[in-house]
Amino acid sequence: MKRNGKIVVLVLAVIVVGWLAMVFSGWSPLALFGLALNSARSATNPAGTLVLEAHKTTSITRTGTTSAGATLGGGTQPADSGNWPSYNRTLTSDRYSQLNAINTQNVRGLKVLCSYDTKLRESFETGPLMVDGALIGTTALDIFSINPSNCQENWRMHEDYKPNGLPVNRGAAYLDGRLFRGALDGRVLAYDFKTGKRLWATAIGDPEKAELVDAAPIAWNGLVFVGIALGDTKGVKGRVYALSATSGEIVWETYLVPRSEGDVARGPAGKMPSSAITTWKNAPDVPISGGGSWTSYTLDPVTGRLYVPTANPSPDFVLTLREGENLFTNSVVQLDAKTGAYVNHFQIAPRDWHDWDASNTPAIVTTKDGRQLLSFAPKNGHLYGIDLATNKLVYRSPVTRVENSDAPLTTTKETHFCPGAVGGGEWNGVAYDPQNNLILSGQTEWCTSVRLQTDAEVKRAPNGSSWMGNVKINPLDLLGKQDPHSDWAGWLYATDADTGVWKWRLKTNYPILSGVTATAGGLVFFGDMGGNFYAVDASGGQRLWSKKLEGAIGGGVITYTANGSQKVAVAAGLTSILWPTEQTTAKIVILGLD
C-alpha cells in the first residue's frame, strides 16, 4: 500500500507540473497524458538484466565461393578516418567502425565524459553524426552542433512551427559543408555546417494531410534522398525524393504505391511499374494509402542504386478492404539514384494485417564467402539475407518471438500476435562485424491484441486521420492493445551472414531499439529502453561493461575519434506515449577511456 500511495502522489505531482508546462509551453493534452501515464507505468521498472545463450552447433558448414575475408559494402570502402559522417556511418549502412583503441582488453575503463542536455522531453531518436570536428544531433524542432569531446554547444537552430504527429526526428545528413534534415510539416531543410544558418527549405509534403518527414536523409553526388513518412494515415501515399543539395530543387519524385488522378506532382516522376495497380483490389471508397518512408536509406555508390524501406498499407489491420499484395508496401525498393526509376523490390509481407513495415535501413555487405548480401531485420521479427547477384532470398531467420502470425483478425474478439505492432525491428537497422562474419540485429519482444472495427466504421475515418482499423478503448490502443510492459523484452542476435544461423544471442528485460555498432576492437555497443548501455564481446556475446544511463536509449550509438582518442556517443532519454520508460530530458552522452 505504501508503494501504491507513493505512485499516486507521483502521478498527481506530474499532472500538476505537466499542466503548468502545457499552459506555459504549449504542450498538447496528449503529451501531458503520456507524461503522467508513463511516469506511473515506469515508476517500478526493474534494473536491467542480460542473459547470454550460445548456439549448440559448434561448427557451421558453408557452401559457395570462399574469399580471403569479409569486406564491407558494394565496393572498396575508404580507410576509417574516425568520423561518423552518415546516419549508419557509411552509405551502405554497415554500422561497423575500424576504430580499436577501445577494445575487449580495456573497455572496463569506459566512463561518461560529458552529456549535452537538450532540456526537451520527446521521443529522442536522433542518429548523431560526427564530422569535421563537430557532433551533430537533432530534436523534433531543433538541430545542434556540439564539441565531440566536451559537449560544449557550438550552435543550435530552432524551427518555430506546429508539428504534425508525435514530436520525433531521426537525424541529419551531411555533404560538402551543408546539413540536411526533415521537418514535421513536410519540408526538408538545409543548414550551414559551421554556423547553423538556414540555407533553403523545400516542401515535399502537405501538412494539411499530416504528411511529415522524420527520417534521417542521406546525401551523395550532389543529391539528398529522403521521403514522406506514415503508412497509417488515410489518403497519404509514401513517396521518395532526390533534392539538389545546393538549391533544394526537387530532382525527382517517386511514388511508392500507385499514383492516382489528382495526386500532386512536385517534380519529375521516377518510372514505376504500371502493373502495381493490379495488386490493390480496393473498393472505390477505400483510397490507396500507405507505403510511407519513415526510416533512412542505403545507397551503393558503385552501382548508383538506392535501397528504400517502405511502410505498411492502410488501413493497417483490415486486409479485406485492400486485398492483394499492395505493392510496393512492406518492401525494400531498389531505385536508380539518379532518376528515381524502379529497378527491383523485395517484399517481406505481401498480405500484411499486422503493421509489419520494412521498418529499418538495410545493409549491403560482402560476406566471408564472397556473397554481396542485402541484410535487414524489420518489424515482422525476421532477419533477411538477399543475394544481390541473383536477387534471391538466401535465408529468413526469426530473431525475436514470433507467435500466431497467421491468425486472422476479426470484429468479434481480440487476436493476440507476436511481434506486435510496436515489436520486432524498429527504426535502427542491423550492423555487420566482418571480423566474425556476423549480422547483429536488435529487436523488441512485445505482443499486441487487436479487435477490428466494422468495415463501415473503418470507411468513415476522415482523410488525413490515423487509419488502423482497430477498436480503441483508450489512446494507448492506437496501434492495438500491447501486452503489459512487464512482459516485454529485447533481443540482440549475432547471426552468421552466410548461413542465417545464429551464433549467440542476448536477451534483455527491455526492448532494444537503439543503434547497434560493431568495432574493430572486438566490441558491440547497444542500449535498451531501460537506459542500460552495454559493451559485449563480438565473438561470443559476453558482457564486458555496462552502465545505466539516464533515460531510454532509442537513438543512435556511434563511435569516432576526437582530440586523439576514441569516443562513443549515445542518444538517451527517449520519452513517448507509446513506450512506458523513465521520464527525463533528451541527452547526448559521450563516453571514453579518459
Side-chain angles (χ1 to χ4, degrees):
M1 293 297 293
K2 289 183 178 180
R3 175 195 272 183
N4 291 339
K6 290 180 180 179
I7 293 175
V8 171
V9 171
L10 174 64
V11 173
L12 291 174
V14 169
I15 289 175
V16 172
V17 172
W19 180 80
L20 291 172
M22 181 176 69
V23 171
F24 292 107
S25 67
W27 279 14
S28 69
L30 182 61
L32 169 61
F33 174 77
L35 172 65
L37 183 66
N38 282 341
S39 295
R41 293 200 295 171
S42 65
T44 57
N45 281 357
T49 62
L50 194 65
V51 178
L52 170 65
E53 181 182 358
H55 201 281
K56 294 178 181 179
T57 303
T58 56
S59 64
I60 297 173
T61 301
R62 299 189 178 95
T63 60
T65 303
T66 301
S67 64
T71 59
L72 295 172
T76 302
Q77 297 291 306
D80 195 300
S81 63
N83 284 333
W84 193 282
S86 191
Y87 180 71
N88 286 307
R89 198 186 75 86
T90 60
L91 292 173
T92 50
S93 303
D94 55 77
R95 298 198 62 86
Y96 176 76
S97 170
Q98 296 173 6
L99 298 180
N100 61 9
I102 301 173
N103 52 57
T104 56
Q105 300 303 309
N106 62 20
V107 71
R108 290 172 180 82
L110 197 64
K111 61 183 180 181
V112 173
L113 302 179
C114 64
S115 63
Y116 175 76
D117 192 341
T118 68
K119 304 293 197 303
L120 298 172
R121 294 176 184 267
E122 65 178 48
S123 191
F124 192 50
E125 300 170 17
T126 190
L129 308 180
M130 211 301 287
V131 63
D132 197 17
L135 192 152
I136 306 299
T138 60
T139 67
L141 299 176
D142 294 4
I143 184 169
F144 55 84
S145 168
I146 65 174
N147 184 300
S149 294
N150 61 23
C151 299
Q152 181 177 347
E153 183 177 295
N154 299 321
W155 54 260
R156 182 167 175 171
M157 176 64 70
H158 176 73
E159 298 289 343
D160 190 11
Y161 65 92
K162 185 178 180 181
N164 293 318
L166 293 173
V168 61
N169 180 271
R170 298 193 173 93
Y174 170 83
L175 185 68
D176 297 335
R178 297 179 179 87
L179 295 166
F180 313 93
R181 63 156 295 168
L184 299 179
D185 60 358
R187 293 177 297 161
V188 182
L189 310 174
Y191 303 86
D192 182 271
F193 172 77
K194 294 292 186 182
T195 66
K197 178 184 177 181
R198 171 99 78 74
L199 300 176
W200 54 255
T202 299
I204 62 172
D206 182 353
E208 297 300 317
K209 295 181 179 179
E211 293 182 340
L212 53 88
V213 184
D214 59 3
I218 62 171
W220 169 77
N221 202 27
L223 299 174
V224 180
F225 304 96
V226 74
I228 289 295
L230 300 178
D232 318 310
T233 302
K234 186 175 182 179
V236 172
K237 295 181 176 182
R239 308 182 297 278
V240 59
Y241 292 84
L243 310 177
S244 166
T246 55
S247 67
E249 179 185 359
I250 296 174
V251 176
W252 55 256
E253 168 192 60
T254 297
Y255 271 71
L256 297 168
V257 296
R259 195 169 180 166
S260 304
E261 186 177 351
D263 286 340
V264 176
R266 292 178 172 84
K271 186 176 181 181
M272 296 291 281
S274 59
S275 58
I277 190 66
T278 65
T279 69
W280 292 79
K281 305 185 187 307
N282 300 32
D285 56 350
V286 180
I288 292 175
S289 307
S293 175
W294 58 276
T295 56
S296 197
Y297 304 154
T298 286
L299 188 143
D300 186 337
V302 175
T303 64
R305 302 270 174 91
L306 183 70
Y307 294 82
V308 178
T310 65
N312 54 276
S314 59
D316 297 40
F317 299 128
V318 189
L319 183 62
T320 55
L321 291 181
R322 47 167 182 81
E323 287 285 359
E325 295 180 358
N326 299 159
L327 292 176
F328 292 94
T329 64
N330 295 339
S331 301
V332 175
V333 180
Q334 188 181 153
L335 303 175
D336 183 316
K338 294 181 180 180
T339 67
Y342 170 90
V343 177
N344 205 347
H345 76 280
F346 313 100
Q347 190 173 37
I348 63 167
R351 300 178 75 252
D352 175 34
W353 64 95
H354 300 98
D355 191 17
W356 281 347
D357 316 45
S359 50
N360 46 51
T361 314
I364 302 173
V365 302
T366 304
T367 68
K368 186 175 181 179
D369 282 354
R371 175 185 283 132
Q372 191 180 51
L373 195 76
L374 187 73
S375 178
F376 54 100
K379 284 178 65 176
N380 69 2
H382 289 80
L383 173 68
Y384 289 78
I386 296 170
D387 188 328
L388 288 176
T390 64
N391 291 323
K392 301 295 185 183
L393 180 69
V394 180
Y395 52 77
R396 176 180 182 267
S397 305
V399 286
T400 187
R401 177 182 171 192
V402 179
E403 290 182 4
N404 213 28
S405 59
D406 294 328
L409 306 182
T410 73
T411 60
T412 57
K413 66 176 183 178
E414 289 185 342
T415 302
H416 186 260
F417 58 89
C418 314
V422 288
E426 292 290 334
W427 47 87
N428 279 303
V430 301
Y432 177 61
D433 172 20
Q435 294 180 322
N436 296 287
N437 196 39
L438 294 175
I439 302 289
L440 301 145
S441 55
Q443 292 271 311
T444 294
E445 179 182 311
W446 203 12
C447 306
T448 299
S449 296
V450 167
R451 180 165 67 90
L452 296 181
Q453 295 177 312
T454 65
D455 287 356
E457 290 171 327
V458 175
K459 291 180 179 181
R460 280 199 295 268
N463 284 339
S465 67
S466 175
W467 208 28
M468 305 292 292
N470 59 305
V471 173
K472 305 173 187 67
I473 305 301
N474 62 59
L476 295 181
D477 294 341
L478 179 65
L479 301 177
K481 186 170 75 175
Q482 314 311 318
D483 283 0
H485 73 282
S486 56
D487 294 339
W488 68 8
W491 290 94
L492 182 72
Y493 268 69
T495 301
D496 184 282
D498 282 301
T499 67
V501 177
W502 61 272
K503 179 181 179 182
W504 55 262
R505 61 186 181 184
L506 290 165
K507 187 176 185 180
T508 69
N509 59 335
Y510 288 93
I512 298 175
L513 278 73
S514 78
V516 177
T517 294
T519 76
L523 299 172
V524 179
F525 292 103
F526 69 97
D528 68 24
M529 295 296 276
N532 306 292
F533 187 54
Y534 296 100
V536 302
D537 188 304
S539 63
Q542 295 82 8
R543 174 166 47 178
L544 301 178
W545 175 92
S546 63
K547 185 172 181 61
K548 171 68 172 70
L549 302 181
E550 187 178 354
I553 303 171
V557 173
I558 70 171
T559 187
Y560 55 88
T561 299
N563 284 347
S565 64
Q566 186 180 354
K567 307 287 194 299
V568 178
V570 185
L574 181 155
T575 59
S576 168
I577 192 172
L578 299 176
W579 302 93
T581 59
E582 177 184 354
Q583 298 300 290
T584 185
T585 53
K587 302 174 182 66
I588 297 290
V589 181
I590 294 178
L591 305 98
L593 297 175
D594 52 24

